[in-house]
């Protein structure tokens, strides 16, 4: 009797389970199909294209790994990689520091808090192209805001994006404009820090710095890590600034990797070679991300040790 | 009892994903090898073009009137003001190329040599209107292979603000090639026309080059069309005619490049590339606001100038030894997959016929056929109107007929790759960072492997 009941219960549950499972797949299907058709499919296609000599207008010809071989000897490939790495190394830490600092400020109890939070997030909402055009004017050596400020303070001025040496630092400076997203995530992280720990630290006599150093910062490491990884991935794909502001110049100083890929694919029609460029970037970003994850073990703190 | 539910393990999931991916990739791959799938239908001709909103309106009107005067055909404008090559490449890759299209020189030769374009040479006898055009307006990719002809003609000129000359008490630039200023005269004039905030000109003592109100002149970049005209005037060139040798480091070329850079960095009579900016105002605005007194630029500016209330004038470019200008323009080509080739050719001849399109009389375009430069009646057809000033005949028509040569991209092979290599380093000359001699020497060595000769030019005479 009892065995029979158990069996019946189990069968009924598994029946329900079956229905749920089927519906689960059904509901997940649009996302899965989209991922397969619009992400995995094109990825595989571009992998195949990267093994061909395909110039738009001509039929593709299979050439094996020759595109990848050409790449090694293409000085513009190395130039674009260097430029992009330079930008990433400069921009990511700067955005993290600025975003974190402002998140700390906006985590205080002050009047009009939500107003200030909105104000600091606003630049992020400006469309990318609009802000690029705005910055062209800010960087204008003759009438631009930055040089006007420097002149006003009696400091030497700069040619900004028009100078080979200053172009990337200028764009790094400009990238802090987009700190809003990182800031919001930091802010969420800061709100998650257990109040009792900060209070306990205060009672034990810890000052502001000690509380920041020993409580806030360790609790924030997962958030910092998240912003670091997404920041690195995003900056490797920087494009708008070169496209709108500098066209890769002067003298290829701002020839970002994706901009170079774009000109190869859509200006010169060399689809096979551009696909090879895309795959190389994918592998580079993958390796950098894996290295970051490996390195994270030594400095990212999770409250629940297993959650990593 | 086996589990009634499907619980895919990781391997199964991956296999499933692989299948889906393969399925997704198949149509894309299958399309690569195939022939053209679709084009304009038999009765539809698609016309792809760029240009200002003004050109957009004029081309739409041209297409409508073609449609009205031809039975069984509809036309469809594909107006693409930005990212033109991107869109065109995408259309060609997906086998949906337009029937007729504007093409920049690199694209015209790329699609022509790939066999994507109708070889217009095969239709020369049937459509004699394709002959008798100015020789530099053709895009040959072989002696009997014609990828396209310029949409319209353009030459480089010296535009100026008459008031600026009047205020300085100077004679305006000559409108006659035979009387073209020498380079030295041009530089002297530029000095007199460059004024600082206190009204001192660049040839006076006490002139402050850091506070310039009006620059004397602007020639543009050293790889631009004006610079090329001056190089040719000095007996130099960018590349040898057969396209096998780089001539950028020849004495004649280097001298002109350095002379142009000196205007901005030695004499302060022209804006630097930085002062001009990546988003410089148009020539009309530069002249009207008197930021610059003389600007070398193309004939196409006439459309803008004529509509502004600027008191402008047109002159010929300065010369070194002989007066030379560059005659050029983007191509119009027919894609070979067009269904109705004869109708496409009809439209081809119609689309830039000065009797049919008002862009000629408005000042944007110049005709291609020689007769519009020699027959007084036909000259009147497109120039006897408010837009064209009195000096137009000698400064533009005669100049285009007698002194114009083609630009290097119209015959040298591999020009896209060559441009990609030589442009960035030569920006250092434009920026005043390095001397022309220094840059040209290193560029010439680097570009040599990219030189693949030139396209043989056909002969229609």
């Amino acid at each position: 009797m009892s065995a029979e009941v158990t069996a019946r219960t189990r069968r009924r549950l598994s029946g329900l389970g079956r229905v749920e499972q089927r519906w689960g797949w059904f509901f997940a299907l649009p996302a899965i199909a989209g991922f397969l058709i619009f992400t995995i499919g094109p990825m595989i296609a571009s992998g195949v294209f990267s093994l061909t000599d395909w110039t738009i207008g001509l039929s593709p010809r299979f050439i094996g790994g020759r595109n990848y071989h050409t790449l090694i000897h293409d000085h513009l490939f190395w130039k674009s990689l260097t430029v992009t790495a330079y930008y990433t190394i400069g921009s990511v830490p700067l955005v993290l520091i600025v975003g974190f600092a402002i998140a700390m400020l906006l985590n205080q109890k002050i009047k009009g808090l939500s107003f200030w939070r909105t104000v600091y997030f606003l630049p992020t909402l400006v469309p990318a192209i609009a802000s690029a055009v705005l910055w062209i004017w800010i960087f204008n050596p003759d009438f631009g805001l930055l040089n006007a400020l420097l002149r006003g303070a009696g400091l030497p001025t700069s040619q900004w994006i028009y100078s080979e040496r200053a172009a990337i630092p200028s764009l790094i400076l400009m990238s802090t404009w987009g700190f809003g997203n990182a800031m919001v995530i930091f802010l969420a992280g800061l709100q998650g820090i257990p109040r009792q720990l900060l209070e306990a630290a205060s009672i034990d006599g810890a000052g502001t710095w000690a509380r920041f150093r020993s409580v806030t910062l360790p609790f924030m490491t997962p958030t910092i890590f998240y912003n670091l990884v997404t920041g690195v991935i995003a900056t490797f794909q920087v494009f708008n600034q070169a496209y709108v502001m500098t066209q890769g110049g002067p003298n290829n100083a701002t020839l970002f990797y994706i901009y170079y890929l774009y000109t190869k694919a859509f200006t010169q029609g060399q689809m096979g070679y551009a696909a090879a460029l895309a795959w190389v970037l994918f592998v580079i970003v993958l390796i950098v991300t894996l290295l970051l994850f490996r390195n994270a073990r030594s400095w990212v703190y999770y409250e629940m040790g297993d959650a990593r | 009892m086996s589990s009634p539910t499907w619980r895919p393990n990781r391997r199964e999931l991956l296999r499933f994903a692989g299948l889906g991916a393969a399925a997704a990739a198949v149509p894309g791959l299958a399309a690569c090898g195939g022939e053209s799938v679709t084009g304009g239908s038999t009765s539809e001709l698609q016309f792809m073009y760029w240009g200002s909103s003004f050109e957009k309106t004029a081309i739409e009107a041209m297409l409508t009137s073609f449609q009205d005067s031809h039975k069984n055909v509809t036309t469809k404008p594909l107006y693409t003001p930005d990212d033109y090559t991107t869109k065109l490449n995408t259309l060609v890759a997906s086998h949906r190329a337009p029937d007729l299209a504007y093409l920049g020189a690199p694209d015209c030769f790329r699609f022509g040599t790939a066999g994507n374009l109708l070889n217009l040479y095969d239709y020369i006898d049937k459509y004699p209107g394709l002959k008798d055009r100015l020789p530099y307006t053709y895009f040959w990719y072989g002696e009997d292979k014609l990828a396209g002809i310029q949409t319209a003609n353009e030459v480089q000129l010296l535009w100026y603000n008459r008031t600026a000359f009047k205020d300085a008490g100077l004679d305006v630039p000559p409108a006659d090639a035979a009387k073209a200023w020498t380079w030295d005269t041009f530089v002297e004039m530029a000095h007199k026309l460059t004024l600082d905030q206190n009204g001192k000109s660049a040839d006076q003592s006490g002139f402050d080059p850091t506070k310039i109100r009006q620059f004397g002149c602007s020639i543009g970049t050293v790889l631009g069309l004006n610079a090329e005209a001056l190089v040719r005037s000095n007996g130099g060139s960018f590349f040898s005619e057969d396209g096998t040798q780089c001539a950028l480091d020849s004495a004649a070329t280097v001298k002109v490049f350095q002379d142009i850079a000196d205007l901005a960095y030695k004499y302060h009579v022209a804006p630097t590339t930085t002062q001009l900016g990546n988003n410089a105002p148009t020539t009309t605005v530069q002249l009207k606001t008197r930021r610059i007194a003389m600007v070398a630029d193309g004939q196409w500016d006439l459309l803008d100038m004529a509509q502004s209330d600027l008191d402008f004038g047109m002159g010929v470019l300065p010369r070194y030894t002989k007066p030379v200008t560059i005659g050029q323009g983007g191509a119009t080509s027919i894609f070979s997959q067009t269904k109705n080739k004869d109708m496409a050719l009809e439209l081809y001849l119609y689309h830039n016929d000065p009797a049919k399109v008002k862009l000629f009389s408005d000042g944007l375009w110049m005709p291609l056929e020689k007769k519009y430069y020699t027959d007084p009646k036909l000259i009147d057809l497109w120039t006897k109107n408010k837009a064209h000033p009195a000096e137009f005949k000698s400064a533009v028509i005669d100049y285009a007929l007698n002194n114009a040569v083609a630009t290097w991209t119209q015959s040298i092979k591999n020009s896209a790759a060559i441009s990609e290599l030589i442009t960035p380093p030569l920006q250092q000359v434009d920026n005043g960072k390095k001397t022309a001699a220094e840059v040209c020497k290193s560029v010439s060595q680097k570009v040599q492997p990219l030189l693949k000769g030139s396209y043989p030019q056909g002969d229609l005479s």
Side-chain angles (χ1 to χ4, degrees), chain B residues 387-406:
Chain B
H388 293 77
E391 67 269 24
F392 193 84
K393 171 76 172 66
S394 66
V396 188
I397 295 180
D398 296 343
Y399 200 35
L401 188 65
N402 304 321
N403 303 93
V405 296

Side-chain angles (χ1 to χ4, degrees), chain A residues 10-11 14 17-18 21 25 29 32 36-37 40-42 44-45 48-49 54-60 75-76 133 136-137 140-143 159 161-164 243-247 249-252 260 262-271, chain B residues 1 4-8 13 16-18 20-22 24-25 28-29 32-34 82-83 85-90 92-93 107 110-111 113-116 272-275 277-279 291 416-417 420-421 423-428 431 433-434 446:
Chain A
R10 201 171 63 198
R11 202 177 310 140
S14 74
R18 193 160 58 218
Q21 193 116 31
W25 277 105
L29 202 61
I32 294 171
L36 289 179
I37 294 168
I40 297 289
I44 290 174
V48 174
F49 294 154
W54 181 25
T55 301
I56 288 181
L58 291 167
S59 301
H75 80 279
L76 287 181
V133 171
I136 291 178
W137 284 107
N140 185 300
D142 279 1
F143 330 104
Q159 297 286 297
I161 52 171
Y162 300 97
S163 141
E164 206 175 324
Y243 183 68
V244 179
M245 302 173 68
T246 62
Q247 287 79 49
N251 197 14
N252 291 332
Y260 181 53
Y262 170 83
T263 54
K264 277 286 166 207
F266 291 105
T267 311
Q268 300 172 22
Q270 297 178 27
M271 281 294 162
Chain B
M1 186 179 138
T5 56
W6 181 48
R7 287 173 192 281
L13 251 184
F16 182 70
L29 289 177
C32 310
D82 299 308
D83 295 321
T85 304
T86 304
K87 181 164 181 188
L88 182 64
N89 273 326
T90 315
V92 172
D107 291 338
R110 176 158 61 87
F111 290 129
T113 49
N116 298 130
T272 64
T273 44
T274 313
Q275 282 166 329
N278 282 0
N279 50 351
R291 172 103 173 118
E420 185 185 42
L421 183 89
T423 307
L426 278 161
Q427 284 170 347
Q428 297 171 302
N431 291 339
K433 297 277 179 238
K434 288 189 178 172
K446 279 192 200 139

Side-chain angles (χ1 to χ4, degrees), chain A residues 198 201-202 204-213:
Chain A
L198 287 168
S202 294
D204 289 345
T208 315
W209 171 249
R211 265 180 302 170
F212 172 75
R213 177 73 195 76

